[in-house]
Amino acid sequence: MSVLAHATVFPSESVEVVGAFDFVSGRYGVRPRRLPAWTRRQIPDPGFDFVVGMTSGVRVALTTRAAVVELDLMVVGIDTGGVWAPPALVELVVDGERCEAAEVPAERHELIAADGTCTQQGSVVTVRFALPVCRIEDHAVELWLPHTAAVELVGLRADAPFAPPRDARPIWVHHGSSISQCGEASAPTRTWPAVAARAGGASVRSLGFSGNAVGDPFVARTIRDLAADVISVEIGINVVNGDLMRRRMFETVLHGVLDTIREGHPTTPLVVIGPIPCPSLEAAPGPTVLDATTGQAISAGDPRELERGAMSLEVVRDIWSRVLNARSDDPQLFALDGRTLLPESEIGDLDDGLHPNAAAYERMGARFADYAFSAGGPFRVE
């Protein structure tokens, strides 16, 4: 039984769950979601719905003089059928500095199968952090939630009073695919958007949705309505992965996403990021499957379909360029080729032929920060 005197349950007015725009009730507490409540009925399948509840980039933020903080939560993960699953880490950041991480044991996770059934009952875990802080002044404390799973937040305790964060950093809203959700990163603060945000002095809101960066109108409207000082969108790979649309449709969809964002942010710096390399999809259409023998991502599409408008990454990049060129009268719209973040010379770091590994994500974050937040960069806030 904890003896810490100051406590709250979630949702709470005493702290902020940064990056969460909705909460749904669970067995013990609430589950944060990275899209607002009104989008729920528009989400087309259970897989996307689960991804929205994964807490990549989400953190519990507070201001406090406490020396000890405890967070009660339950981790909700995907049942991989016995295949190795990434660990679920909660990471402590104090005044912008990473301090330590706590891993939630796999046997305490609740596991959900692909059909939505629960295959392992989870339980509430308490992670406890000793803060390396001085008692005489307040500090900005963030508890970064697992980027590899969903969570149910239950309660927070500390040995001193706490209050919501006082964060004056510019807000960066980023949307993208699994290559923005970054499940292969080594820790919650080591996804490439988190690395770039820290280097650039920004507060990121991550809308990286594995398999689902395809231009959904409800995602574009969410970005339109969010507070944002700078915005970026990484789009293209999932259109090919899922074999979801033809060339004719993708061009208008991409224009539509940008039009919608501009309705709410007409002059906000907006970077559109093209696909990073994926050798098997450069000249071949989707859908993408994993080779059962090699574990590598390969094309299961028929190359003849390219003549009928199917999409490869070469086609995506061509359309991407056409759309950005057509909007050249927008002085705050910027194009960033994904191969700038991960050059073709580094495709050896795509361990499954599709997703960067942890080291590659860190380099991508550093490169994006150098591009966007450096002097003269599109996100430079003077």
Side-chain angles (χ1 to χ4, degrees):
M1 179 69 68
S2 173
V3 296
L4 301 182
H6 304 274
T8 189
V9 295
F10 292 95
S12 171
E13 296 182 355
S14 302
V15 299
E16 181 180 356
V17 184
V18 179
F21 306 111
D22 182 25
F23 297 93
V24 296
S25 297
R27 292 207 313 274
Y28 305 105
V30 295
R31 296 188 183 186
R33 292 170 58 83
R34 293 180 292 141
L35 286 175
W38 63 263
T39 67
R40 291 185 209 166
R41 65 180 183 178
Q42 299 187 28
I43 293 174
D45 63 72
F48 189 2
D49 189 67
F50 186 86
V51 165
V52 170
M54 298 178 78
T55 47
S56 181
V58 179
R59 59 268 191 199
V60 176
L62 56 146
T63 301
T64 186
R65 299 182 185 183
V68 177
V69 171
E70 294 178 343
L71 177 66
D72 298 332
L73 76 163
M74 183 177 71
V75 169
V76 184
I78 299 172
D79 190 339
T80 60
V83 179
W84 178 85
L89 302 177
V90 179
E91 205 168 3
L92 171 68
V93 174
V94 178
D95 295 331
E97 297 298 320
R98 301 163 62 214
C99 296
E100 61 176 307
E103 181 174 351
V104 178
E107 62 271 18
R108 303 290 294 276
H109 297 188
E110 184 162 292
L111 297 181
I112 306 297
D115 64 2
T117 60
C118 178
T119 59
Q120 175 178 294
Q121 291 289 335
S123 56
V124 175
V125 172
T126 299
V127 291
R128 180 183 175 95
F129 292 108
L131 278 59
V133 297
C134 174
R135 287 280 199 171
I136 62 173
E137 61 182 21
D138 287 336
H139 295 269
V141 176
E142 293 180 329
L143 303 175
W144 285 66
L145 302 174
H147 62 301
T148 55
V151 303
E152 198 166 304
L153 293 174
V154 182
L156 181 79
R157 292 178 299 279
D159 64 345
F162 49 84
R166 300 190 291 268
D167 194 343
R169 293 175 296 175
I171 295 173
W172 169 27
V173 174
H174 175 70
H175 170 52
S177 67
S178 59
I179 295 163
S180 292
Q181 184 166 324
C182 306
E184 296 77 16
S186 62
T189 64
R190 308 317 292 167
T191 67
W192 79 254
V195 170
R198 181 172 182 268
S203 179
V204 68
R205 309 294 189 266
S206 177
L207 304 180
F209 300 131
S210 292
N212 288 284
V214 298
D216 286 303
F218 58 87
V219 176
R221 290 196 295 273
T222 295
I223 299 170
R224 176 195 65 190
D225 296 341
L226 289 177
D229 296 292
V230 293
I231 300 168
S232 55
V233 176
E234 171 253 313
I235 191 168
I237 185 65
N238 290 156
V239 176
V240 180
N241 288 150
D243 190 26
L244 292 178
M245 62 184 82
R246 298 285 165 137
R247 180 185 184 115
R248 161 66 177 81
M249 193 67 202
F250 180 59
E251 187 161 348
T252 57
V253 165
L254 185 51
H255 272 298
V257 168
L258 299 178
D259 285 344
T260 300
I261 293 172
R262 280 293 182 234
E263 289 174 3
H265 300 280
T267 60
T268 301
L270 170 56
V271 174
V272 184
I273 306 169
I276 68 170
C278 179
S280 66
L281 298 177
E282 291 296 328
T288 308
V289 297
L290 290 180
D291 185 288
T293 302
T294 65
Q296 294 291 296
I298 60 172
S299 167
D302 182 347
R304 294 173 295 183
E305 288 297 309
L306 292 173
E307 299 176 2
R308 291 185 282 271
M311 307 276 285
S312 67
L313 289 185
E314 290 177 352
V315 173
V316 165
R317 293 193 185 97
D318 178 60
I319 295 172
W320 178 82
S321 295
R322 284 170 53 89
V323 170
L324 273 293
N325 287 336
R327 305 176 75 96
S328 60
D329 58 342
D330 184 340
Q332 292 299 315
L333 181 66
F334 304 89
L336 177 63
D337 191 321
R339 293 168 294 188
T340 301
L341 298 183
L342 187 81
E344 292 174 343
S345 61
E346 297 179 7
I347 60 174
D349 278 334
L350 304 174
D351 289 349
D352 63 357
L354 175 62
H355 297 97
N357 59 26
Y361 277 135
E362 299 220 18
R363 294 195 302 273
M364 289 173 64
R367 287 168 179 153
F368 187 85
D370 287 343
Y371 160 76
F373 292 103
S374 61
F379 286 0
R380 182 71 176 183
V381 179
E382 303 296 343

